[in-house]
Amino acid sequence: MAEGEGPETTTEHERILQEIESTDAACVGPTLRSVYDDQPNAHKRFMEKLEARIRNHDREIEKMCNFHHQGFVDAITELLKVRSDAGKLKVQVTDTNRRLQDAGKDVINQSEEVIRCRVHQRNIAITVEKLQLCLPVLEMYSKVREQMKSKRYYSALKTMELLENTYLPQVYQYRFCQIMTENIPRLREEIKEISMSDLKDFLESIRKHSDKIGEMAMKQSQQQRIFNRVVKKQTHNGNEKLYAASGAFLGHFDTATPEQLQDDEEEYEEEVLTAQDLVDFSPVYRCLHIYTILGDRETFENYYRRQRRKQAGLVLQPQSNMNETVEGYRKYFNQIVGFFVVEDHILHATQGLVTRAFTDELWNMALSKIIAVLRTHSSYCTDPDLVLELKNVIVVYADTLQGYGFSVSRLFDLLLEIRDQYNETLLKKWAVVFRAIFESDNYSPIPAANEEEYRMIISRFPFHDTELEKQPFPKRFPVSMSVPEIYKEFKEFIYASLKFSESLHRSSTEIDDMLRKSTNLLLTRTLSGCLQNLIKKQHIGLTELVQIIINTTHLEQACKYLEDFITNITNVSPETVHTTRLYGLSTFKDARHAAEGEIYTKLNHKIDEFIQLADYEWTMTEPNGRASGYLMDLINFLRSTFQVFTHLPGKVAQTACMSACKHLSTSMMQMLLDTDVKQISMGAIQQFNLDVIQCELFASSEPVPGFQGDTLQLAFIDLRQLLDLFMVWDWSTYLADYGQATSKYLRVNPSTALILLEKMKDTNKKNIIFSQFRKNDRDKQKLIETVVKQLRSLVNGMSQHT
């Protein structure tokens, strides 16, 4: 087998055997696999090689054991000798240990006793030391409890802070300290809740006391105003005397003497309390400090501001019937003033709880709401006295808050709006006064039986007439009693209007302008409207209308005295560039024009009433020989009426007279042309001519002086030429001269002549039945028909030309 092996195979088997010997048993698998992967029958040769290697190792082991065997035997022999000596030594050591244990028992007992004492001593020392550390903790905790029980929360928080930061860290390992540590946050929350509850009570308290706080603050402001008025009266005594002489228009404080004002001031000094006297602010201070210490100041500030903003919304809500009495307004303002007085106190007494920006924001919000509320509720006020009281309350309210640093300019702008409303209520009130004066007036000149009565009228109305002064008593003023009454009411209105301008912080020029504008409204709207309504009333007759014209003339002349009156009150020169003038001229002129027009209307209406009484017999054969009764009554009425017109301006009387004559002429012409009158005889024409003659005689008698020549008679020229044409029967002249400027019958219209001629033609047709055998009547009838044809042709020519 050895021969069959090659050198390569032998070397390979040696390598494999070395790997098997040097390799871990777990990794021998791949090596063995290589034996089988080799040449066929290689594993048999490998096994043979392996067995040879084993035999070699066995021989080496045997050699090694034979080499060390004698030493091993010697070592066993020595061990056997030592075993007997070791047993003896063991017995000796055991005996020695027993005797030592017995001897050391007492020492051990005493040592253990000493150790126990030392441990007790050490424990006592440690306990004393720890107790000395714990006692301050317990004392501080007990102090916290006592402080909370006595509601000294701020001190309790300080003590807790000291306890937590200084004492508890020294004994933190003890359980009771852990319990205290856990309780401290709960105590802080308890203090926060208690302080917040106190704050809520404080907020509720100031909400209830806002009314009283505001009342006191407004009294203080009013006291300051009183003091200022005392000083002003002492330094401007002359001007104040002028006011006092003008009338009681400045209210209680303006008309009172300095001594009375001083008494009022002392009374207010005794009564006035401050916000600190009415409300305890300590809860809010305490709560602020507590939240500051707890590091939660921002939460507290936000809560406080949010709650105050809500309270502001409640305070600004007015009562529904606030506009009925001034007390409703005063209570409303007291609450608002109280609210902002508290905020101002908090602003200055605390550091940053509320800021100026926050209070300004609240004030601007409140101011917008207040202005809206006042605009709404004041619009329902119809009593000027209530509006005036409201103004006084607003002024005190504005002055009070201005003293606390709030901007109130918008309130004074609102007062100007309310002033316009106040003037409106004054105008309505004086409209009633004027109507009452006009209703009670008898529209007759004022009699003055003696000097006293004369001076009394002169003192009430600026009337100056040297001729009247020279006349003996009894005298008569040209005006009726309504004139001095109205002039007096003018001054009363100015006083009333001036009341509102007081304390508005306006210059004298502005006040003067306000007075003049309101007086102009009184003249141009109220008085003018009352006069217009008076003139239109049915019961106002011609005599009353004449007196109204006279009255308005003198009232117009008195306007310059009203301007002087306003100037004396305001001390503003009328020569000032921007001074407003009174518009009395246009007001009274319009009233006179309306009265004059009403005179013309009523006069014409009266003429119509007389005309309706006319009862002509249009088919009479012969006239009565005298004028109709209705016409004579009408002329007598016109004569008596025009005598009353002597006090009127000349043009007014002349215009009224000319208007009456023209209306009378037109009405008589319409009677002739009335479609209901079918026939007119020559006798009726002659009777109508007698009436027209009376009208002409009346016109020529100059019922109103000032007409030139026969100007008034021209009112009847149309009737005169028409009647002359028919009575003279001058148709040839009329037809021949028609259209010429020099025509004798220039004012006769062909259509008018045709209508009247046809009515006469119908009358002649009826009479021709009984007189058909009279040649003159037949010729006259033919002439009428011929003239009718020619007139128709003229009328047709005129219509075609048109």
Side-chain angles (χ1 to χ4, degrees):
M1 183 179 62
E3 295 176 355
E5 292 180 358
E8 295 180 359
T9 303
T10 302
T11 303
E12 181 64 23
H13 287 169
E14 287 293 334
R15 185 186 64 78
I16 292 173
L17 288 175
Q18 289 179 359
E19 286 185 4
I20 291 173
E21 289 175 353
S22 62
T23 305
D24 192 6
C27 301
V28 88
T31 304
L32 294 177
R33 191 180 298 115
S34 65
V35 173
Y36 291 92
D37 291 342
D38 206 352
Q39 299 175 1
N41 300 319
H43 64 286
K44 291 181 180 181
R45 291 190 295 272
F46 176 75
M47 291 300 296
E48 293 174 355
K49 193 70 175 177
L50 178 61
E51 288 176 357
R53 177 61 67 89
I54 292 172
R55 285 192 298 271
N56 289 332
H57 284 300
D58 287 340
R59 284 192 297 269
E60 290 177 359
I61 291 172
E62 185 177 355
K63 287 179 181 180
M64 186 176 291
C65 288
N66 290 332
F67 178 77
H68 292 288
H69 180 264
Q70 186 59 43
F72 176 73
V73 172
D74 293 340
I76 292 299
T77 301
E78 288 293 330
L79 284 175
L80 289 176
K81 291 178 180 180
V82 170
R83 184 174 63 176
S84 61
D85 294 336
K88 293 177 181 179
L89 180 61
K90 180 179 178 182
V91 171
Q92 292 176 357
V93 169
T94 302
D95 182 58
T96 302
N97 180 59
R98 180 182 57 78
R99 284 185 284 111
L100 182 62
Q101 291 293 334
D102 292 338
K105 281 183 180 179
D106 293 337
V107 176
I108 291 173
N109 291 333
Q110 291 178 1
S111 298
E112 288 178 353
E113 186 67 24
V114 170
I115 290 171
R116 283 195 299 271
C117 290
R118 293 286 178 87
V119 169
H120 289 163
Q121 185 179 6
R122 184 187 63 189
N123 289 342
I124 290 171
I126 293 173
T127 302
V128 170
E129 180 184 356
K130 297 302 180 183
L131 284 175
Q132 288 176 346
L133 292 175
C134 292
L135 281 176
V137 174
L138 296 173
E139 289 174 356
M140 295 294 285
Y141 191 79
S142 176
K143 185 178 179 181
V144 168
R145 285 296 186 181
E146 289 296 327
Q147 288 172 338
M148 290 187 64
K149 187 176 179 180
S150 60
K151 297 183 178 181
R152 295 164 56 200
Y153 302 115
Y154 180 76
S155 299
L157 286 174
K158 284 292 187 181
T159 304
M160 275 190 280
E161 183 179 1
L162 183 63
L163 176 64
E164 188 176 32
N165 297 330
T166 304
Y167 293 97
L168 282 178
Q170 299 176 4
V171 292
Y172 67 93
Q173 67 274 23
Y174 301 112
R175 186 180 175 188
F176 79 91
C177 294
Q178 295 175 359
I179 295 173
M180 287 183 183
T181 304
E182 294 173 357
N183 283 340
I184 286 176
R186 287 196 291 269
L187 291 176
R188 284 174 175 160
E189 287 300 322
E190 182 181 350
I191 291 174
K192 285 177 67 175
E193 292 176 0
I194 294 173
S195 62
M196 184 58 70
S197 176
D198 292 343
L199 176 66
K200 292 178 180 178
D201 295 339
F202 166 77
L203 292 174
E204 182 65 22
S205 174
I206 60 175
R207 191 180 70 84
K208 292 180 179 179
H209 289 86
S210 289
D211 189 5
K212 191 66 176 176
I213 294 172
E215 182 182 355
M216 293 299 101
M218 291 180 72
K219 279 187 177 181
Q220 287 178 332
S221 176
Q222 199 168 13
Q223 177 183 348
Q224 184 63 38
R225 292 181 64 206
I226 294 171
F227 177 77
N228 293 338
R229 291 187 187 281
V230 171
V231 174
K232 183 177 179 181
K233 282 184 175 292
Q234 292 174 351
T235 55
H236 299 88
N237 193 33
N239 292 335
E240 293 296 332
K241 286 182 178 180
L242 176 61
Y243 283 150
S246 301
F249 59 92
L250 293 178
H252 169 69
F253 298 119
D254 298 290
T255 56
T257 63
E259 291 77 11
Q260 292 172 328
L261 295 174
Q262 186 65 32
D263 293 340
D264 290 341
E265 183 179 1
E266 293 175 357
E267 179 182 351
Y268 282 131
E269 287 178 350
E270 294 176 359
E271 294 179 356
V272 171
L273 301 175
T274 62
Q276 294 90 330
D277 298 327
L278 297 172
V279 177
D280 179 17
F281 286 90
S282 60
V284 70
Y285 303 149
R286 183 166 55 248
C287 196
L288 175 62
H289 291 319
I290 289 172
Y291 272 77
T292 302
I293 291 175
L294 296 176
D296 207 8
R297 179 187 177 106
E298 184 177 357
T299 301
F300 173 72
E301 290 178 356
N302 293 336
Y303 175 81
Y304 177 84
R305 295 178 186 182
R306 184 167 60 252
Q307 292 301 316
R308 290 298 281 166
R309 189 175 280 108
K310 289 181 181 179
Q311 287 188 345
L314 294 176
V315 167
L316 294 172
Q317 290 296 330
Q319 297 181 354
S320 58
N321 60 343
M322 186 177 72
N323 60 293
E324 294 179 359
T325 61
V326 73
E327 289 303 320
Y329 289 104
R330 186 173 284 113
K331 184 176 181 181
Y332 179 66
F333 287 129
N334 285 344
Q335 292 178 345
I336 298 173
V337 171
F339 178 90
F340 283 101
V341 167
V342 169
E343 287 306 292
D344 182 77
H345 178 78
I346 295 294
L347 174 66
H348 292 90
T350 61
Q351 295 295 327
L353 176 57
V354 294
T355 62
R356 174 56 68 181
F358 173 75
T359 55
D360 288 344
E361 177 190 353
L362 276 182
W363 171 243
N364 291 329
M365 180 271 292
L367 190 58
S368 299
K369 179 68 175 178
I370 292 166
I371 290 174
V373 167
L374 290 178
R375 279 186 180 139
T376 301
H377 284 264
S378 64
S379 63
Y380 299 129
C381 295
T382 57
D383 182 9
D385 294 333
L386 178 59
V387 178
L388 184 61
E389 290 180 355
L390 171 60
K391 167 258 174 183
N392 291 331
V393 173
I394 293 176
V395 168
V396 176
Y397 167 72
D399 289 344
T400 302
L401 288 178
Q402 190 175 31
Y404 285 93
F406 296 99
S407 174
V408 295
S409 58
R410 291 173 61 189
L411 280 176
F412 284 101
D413 294 339
L414 174 66
L415 282 175
L416 294 182
E417 297 180 21
I418 297 178
R419 186 187 186 284
D420 295 336
Q421 179 186 345
Y422 174 71
N423 283 336
E424 290 296 327
T425 58
L426 286 182
L427 294 175
K428 292 178 182 178
K429 177 181 178 180
W430 257 261
V432 175
V433 172
F434 287 151
R435 285 195 292 269
I437 292 175
F438 289 142
E439 289 293 334
S440 62
D441 193 10
N442 58 6
Y443 297 99
S444 299
I446 303 174
N450 50 50
E451 183 71 20
E452 182 180 358
E453 293 181 1
Y454 181 82
R455 294 301 173 190
M456 184 184 67
I457 299 298
I458 293 297
S459 64
R460 297 171 60 187
F461 179 72
F463 181 83
H464 305 285
D465 188 347
T466 54
E467 295 183 0
L468 184 63
E469 291 178 357
K470 294 177 181 178
Q471 293 179 8
F473 291 100
K475 301 178 182 180
R476 283 185 176 273
F477 289 90
V479 297
S480 65
M481 185 57 70
S482 62
V483 172
E485 291 292 332
I486 290 175
Y487 186 79
K488 183 192 75 170
E489 292 302 327
F490 280 159
K491 295 198 291 185
E492 292 296 329
F493 176 86
I494 294 172
Y495 290 146
S497 182
L498 182 62
K499 285 181 182 180
F500 199 96
S501 302
E502 184 70 18
S503 302
L504 289 186
H505 308 299
R506 299 289 172 176
S507 65
S508 299
T509 304
E510 291 176 300
I511 294 176
D512 182 87
D513 187 64
M514 292 177 184
L515 289 180
R516 292 178 184 273
K517 286 182 178 179
S518 58
T519 306
N520 277 331
L521 287 176
L522 181 71
L523 290 171
T524 58
R525 189 197 302 176
T526 305
L527 181 59
S528 177
C530 292
L531 285 172
Q532 296 293 338
N533 293 333
L534 174 67
I535 292 168
K536 298 295 181 182
K537 288 186 176 181
Q538 295 296 326
H539 70 275
I540 298 298
L542 292 171
T543 303
E544 288 82 359
L545 290 172
V546 171
Q547 188 62 55
I548 289 172
I549 293 176
I550 297 172
N551 290 348
T552 54
T553 302
H554 286 83
L555 284 174
E556 178 184 338
Q557 295 171 357
C559 282
K560 64 178 181 179
Y561 297 101
L562 283 180
E563 290 195 349
D564 295 339
F565 177 74
I566 295 174
T567 300
N568 291 334
I569 290 178
T570 60
N571 292 324
V572 176
S573 173
E575 286 75 21
T576 303
V577 177
H578 301 290
T579 300
T580 305
R581 303 300 178 186
L582 297 184
Y583 303 142
L585 181 63
S586 60
T587 298
F588 296 116
K589 184 178 293 185
D590 293 341
R592 282 198 300 275
H593 287 168
E596 292 167 7
E598 196 65 22
I599 286 176
Y600 306 150
T601 302
K602 288 185 178 295
L603 196 56
N604 293 341
H605 180 68
K606 197 66 177 179
I607 292 174
D608 292 338
E609 291 179 358
F610 280 102
I611 292 295
Q612 290 176 1
L613 300 177
D615 187 18
Y616 285 102
E617 185 180 351
W618 296 108
T619 59
M620 64 171 59
T621 57
E622 295 292 335
N624 294 332
R626 61 181 182 277
S628 302
Y630 86 91
L631 186 68
M632 298 306 297
D633 293 340
L634 172 58
I635 291 175
N636 292 333
F637 165 75
L638 292 177
R639 289 185 188 277
S640 61
T641 300
F642 290 142
Q643 287 178 356
V644 180
F645 287 10
T646 54
H647 296 292
L648 287 176
K651 292 184 179 180
V652 177
Q654 293 171 14
T655 303
C657 185
M658 176 60 75
S659 174
C661 291
K662 286 183 177 181
H663 185 71
L664 176 58
S665 175
T666 303
S667 299
M668 295 182 72
M669 179 69 76
Q670 289 176 352
M671 281 195 293
L672 289 177
L673 304 180
D674 191 359
T675 55
D676 294 335
V677 179
K678 305 297 182 183
Q679 299 174 357
I680 297 179
S681 64
M682 182 57 71
I685 293 292
Q686 293 173 351
Q687 179 63 41
F688 200 81
N689 181 59
L690 293 176
D691 293 343
V692 174
I693 291 174
Q694 290 298 322
C695 293
E696 292 173 334
L697 291 174
F698 169 73
S700 62
S701 65
E702 197 175 6
V704 173
F707 287 106
Q708 297 180 356
D710 55 355
T711 302
L712 192 58
Q713 296 179 17
L714 293 177
F716 302 97
I717 189 64
D718 293 353
L719 277 175
R720 172 48 51 211
Q721 290 186 9
L722 180 63
L723 293 176
D724 286 348
L725 175 61
F726 276 86
M727 293 178 63
V728 179
W729 209 253
D730 195 6
W731 293 105
S732 58
T733 304
Y734 175 75
L735 295 173
D737 295 343
Y738 178 74
Q740 297 181 12
T742 58
S743 173
K744 182 180 179 181
Y745 306 102
L746 181 64
R747 305 298 296 270
V748 178
N749 191 290
S751 59
T752 303
L754 177 60
I755 293 172
L756 187 57
L757 189 59
E758 286 182 338
K759 292 182 178 183
M760 294 187 67
K761 174 184 175 183
D762 294 337
T763 304
N764 291 331
K765 284 183 178 180
K766 184 181 288 187
N767 294 333
I768 199 169
I769 300 174
F770 303 100
S771 59
Q772 57 182 339
F773 300 107
R774 287 185 289 185
K775 184 176 183 300
N776 291 336
D777 293 334
R778 290 198 302 272
D779 294 341
K780 186 176 181 180
Q781 184 64 28
K782 291 180 181 180
L783 178 59
I784 290 176
E785 292 177 355
T786 302
V787 173
V788 167
K789 291 179 181 179
Q790 293 180 353
L791 290 175
R792 284 176 179 168
S793 63
L794 289 176
V795 172
N796 292 334
M798 290 174 60
S799 61
Q800 291 176 0
H801 179 71
T802 304

